Every structure is written in C-alpha cells, then in structure tokens.
C-alpha cells in the first residue's frame, strides 16, 4: 500500500483538498466523512492508499 505526504490546502463544501508534497501541484480530494482525525488547513498528513 502506497503512502504519501500531503498538505491540507482547504475545505470546499463536503471535501478536503490536499496537495501532494513536496511540489504541491497534484491535488487529492477526500470527502469529510472519510477523515477520522481532526485536522486544519496547513496540516501535513500521511495518506495511505
């Protein structure tokens, strides 16, 4: 299972928009209901999958 670091850029409606580090050009959208840990914009997280 692949794991990458992302920065939480922002929330838009029901989605969190993450930017893949270190370039922060690729985006990943995740529905808020799938985020089990409280996070805020600017947090760096590891995402598996």
């Amino acid at each position: 299972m692949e794991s990458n670091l992302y920065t939480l850029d922002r929330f838009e409606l029901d989605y969190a928009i993450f930017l893949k580090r270190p370039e922060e050009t690729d985006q990943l959208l995740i529905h808020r209901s799938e985020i089990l840990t409280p996070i805020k914009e600017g947090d760096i997280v590891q995402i598996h999958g």
Side-chain angles (χ1 to χ4, degrees):
M1 181 178 283
E2 188 176 339
S3 172
N4 292 297
L5 290 178
Y6 289 83
T7 302
L8 175 57
D9 184 51
R10 65 192 180 278
F11 289 102
E12 285 189 9
L13 301 174
D14 291 334
Y15 290 89
I17 291 83
F18 293 90
L19 301 177
K20 187 174 181 181
R21 294 181 56 85
E23 297 85 10
E24 297 191 342
T25 55
D26 295 332
Q27 290 187 354
L28 175 66
L29 276 68
I30 297 180
H31 197 273
R32 284 183 187 238
S33 66
E34 296 181 45
I35 300 172
L36 306 177
T37 305
I39 57 174
K40 62 186 182 313
E41 293 176 0
D43 284 353
I44 298 171
V45 298
Q46 189 170 29
I47 298 176
H48 303 276

